[in-house]
Amino acid sequence: MRSRITVTRKKINSLAVPAIIAGIAEPVLSITDTAVVGNIPVNGLESLAAVGIVGSFLSMLIWILGQTRSAISALISQYLGAEKLDEIKTLPAQAIFFNILLSVLVLLSTIFIIEEIFLLLNASGTILEYCISYYSIRVWGFPLTLFVFAVMGIFRGLQNTFYPMMIAIVGASLNILLDFILVYGIEGVIAPMYLEGAAWASLIAQAVMAVIALLLLVRKTDIRLVPRFPVHPELKNLVFMSLNLFVRAIALNAALILAVREATDLGDRYIGAHTIAINLWLFAAFFIDGYAAAGNIMGGRLLGARDYNGLWRLAKKVTKYGAYVCSLLMVLAFLFYDEVGTIFSNDRSVLTTFNAIFFLVILGLPVNMVAFVLDGIFKGLGEMKFLRNVLLAATFLGFVPVLFFTKFMGWGISGIWIAFLVWMAIRGGALVWKFRVKFRPLLQKV
């Protein structure tokens, strides 16, 4: 007889709050780079544009190959709910090895064609030079980030979001400190490194996070990092789940990269404004995603225990709490509407362009909340194939047509953000429909 899993506000928040703090670490790193680099006294606008372009490309790589985190978390939480955790102990090491191997292959395949990559993203002149310089340093943190993601997935599957939070806090704090030291320098001690300083700050922070993750995994769990044979039977399932998420992440990042490409094509002030907007969008997304993480973690365990009533209550509660967070973010954004952009840039043309579209970012938050929360629950349930299909439809039947229609109509950067609104509305609507259709009937069988 499996023990009953309680779905209470206290339990949800005990997982969600640390997950929120851990989840915003990556956007905080990007936002810090954006804010510090955007205020560089020499070529600040070009540096800001380069950070935006490179950041979007690196985010694409990380989120395409970092999907094993969700797959590992889903499988471990389901086995935990079924009280069969001992049967899956050898899987994490094999999954981590798989993750790192992929990251090294991608790193080696991009490092020799850096210029061609950023030319495809419409970078040119000084911006292209800065993109190459910034990427050549930051890319070496790529395998480290994927290792940290995998370890965080293991802890999440074990219903532990505290250790990922601690890893994230140390990494984000160190990155912020090093940004100011290395970008601007310390008079008489360290010469200003400007854009390259921001890249080194991120790389060092990623290395420290990887070391902490390794130590916590070794000392706080029974999981061993040396892969053992035979191959675990669930590795095939994990690979297929990850492949579905890879395809999904490619579709997701196709939208992000297309948006960057179109903004870059409009001109420097537009890519500068878009860089600020997308960083704030991602920050809010990861903030709300804390409740998605709670849904992911608890959802997999409830499914493993076949507690469908608990699963239904979980979906309702995490959506409600996500709505509270979303409302708070919207109020703060409107209260400080004119001040937010000045954190990232002192260029008047960039700020004017950003302020003209910021309201679209804010109005999209409720739609984003529904999509992100249910997305997290579906990952915990292992519904990767459906998530893949939803993203493909939202991107290629929603985002892309709207993006090019608004471009044809001459709506400029506003058109890009209208396309984002349509994209997220399709994603959220499809997930609400699927959850009700699949799990509501099961309530009568419990």
Side-chain angles (χ1 to χ4, degrees), residues 303-322:
L303 182 66
R306 298 181 183 177
D307 184 355
Y308 301 116
N309 276 348
L311 185 59
W312 188 264
R313 288 195 301 273
L314 175 69
K316 291 174 68 174
K317 287 186 177 183
V318 293
T319 302
K320 180 173 73 173
Y321 301 146

Side-chain angles (χ1 to χ4, degrees), residues 173 176 264 341:
S173 301
I176 292 170
T264 304

Side-chain angles (χ1 to χ4, degrees), residues 82-350:
E83 298 183 355
K84 298 179 180 179
L85 196 56
D86 286 343
E87 297 179 13
I88 204 171
K89 277 189 175 180
T90 61
L91 179 63
Q94 295 174 5
I96 288 173
F97 179 79
F98 171 71
N99 226 28
I100 292 176
L101 180 62
L102 278 176
S103 69
V104 172
L105 289 174
V106 171
L107 187 154
L108 293 176
S109 67
T110 61
I111 196 69
F112 299 110
I113 54 169
I114 299 174
E115 184 173 350
E116 288 77 8
I117 289 170
F118 295 118
L119 281 171
L120 285 174
L121 296 175
N122 283 346
S124 60
T126 302
I127 293 177
L128 177 60
E129 292 176 14
Y130 283 0
C131 283
I132 294 170
S133 173
Y134 185 66
Y135 182 81
S136 297
I137 298 168
R138 276 210 62 184
V139 70
W140 297 102
F142 182 53
L144 301 173
T145 298
L146 292 188
F147 172 75
V148 172
F149 271 29
V151 173
M152 285 182 171
I154 293 169
F155 280 122
R156 283 188 174 191
L158 295 171
Q159 316 291 285
N160 183 332
T161 56
F162 180 77
Y163 288 147
M165 178 189 72
M166 296 308 298
I167 295 168
I169 287 174
V170 172
S173 301
L174 181 61
N175 190 89
I176 292 170
L177 176 64
L178 291 175
D179 257 335
F180 284 99
I181 292 174
L182 299 180
V183 173
Y184 300 137
I186 299 175
E187 189 173 354
V189 180
I190 299 174
M193 297 174 67
Y194 299 131
L195 186 61
E196 289 190 359
W200 279 109
S202 295
L203 178 58
I204 294 168
Q206 288 166 323
V208 171
M209 290 169 71
V211 171
I212 295 172
L214 174 62
L215 292 175
L216 286 173
L217 187 66
V218 171
R219 294 181 179 180
K220 301 297 183 180
T221 73
D222 295 328
I223 293 168
R224 296 293 171 260
L225 286 176
V226 179
R228 299 178 188 174
F229 289 98
V231 173
H232 194 284
E234 286 286 8
L235 185 63
K236 180 180 178 181
N237 188 22
L238 184 141
V239 169
F240 277 113
M241 289 170 70
S242 298
L243 285 173
N244 280 321
L245 290 173
F246 289 168
V247 175
R248 176 181 181 273
I250 290 171
L252 186 152
N253 283 284
L256 297 178
I257 292 296
L258 275 174
V260 169
R261 191 177 188 279
E262 291 303 313
T264 304
D265 199 42
L266 289 170
D268 290 356
R269 68 187 177 99
Y270 293 98
I271 184 57
H274 180 75
T275 298
I276 297 171
I278 200 66
N279 274 288
L280 290 171
W281 188 88
L282 289 170
F283 177 81
F286 282 101
F287 207 99
I288 296 168
D289 200 49
Y291 285 96
N296 178 304
I297 295 163
M298 295 184 70
R301 190 175 180 186
L302 288 163
L303 182 66
R306 298 181 183 177
D307 184 355
Y308 301 116
N309 276 348
L311 185 59
W312 188 264
R313 288 195 301 273
L314 175 69
K316 291 174 68 174
K317 287 186 177 183
V318 293
T319 302
K320 180 173 73 173
Y321 301 146
Y324 293 157
V325 173
C326 177
S327 299
L328 176 62
L329 291 174
M330 292 181 74
V331 169
L332 290 173
F334 276 120
L335 283 176
F336 298 100
Y337 194 97
D338 293 326
E339 289 78 22
V340 171
T342 59
I343 298 171
F344 304 94
S345 178
N346 53 18
D347 188 286
R348 181 50 50 190
S349 64
V350 171

Side-chain angles (χ1 to χ4, degrees), residues 62-80:
I62 290 168
W63 288 109
I64 287 174
L65 296 180
Q67 298 305 317
T68 47
R69 175 180 66 173
S70 296
I72 292 171
S73 177
L75 287 171
I76 292 178
S77 61
Q78 288 173 25
Y79 270 74
L80 182 64

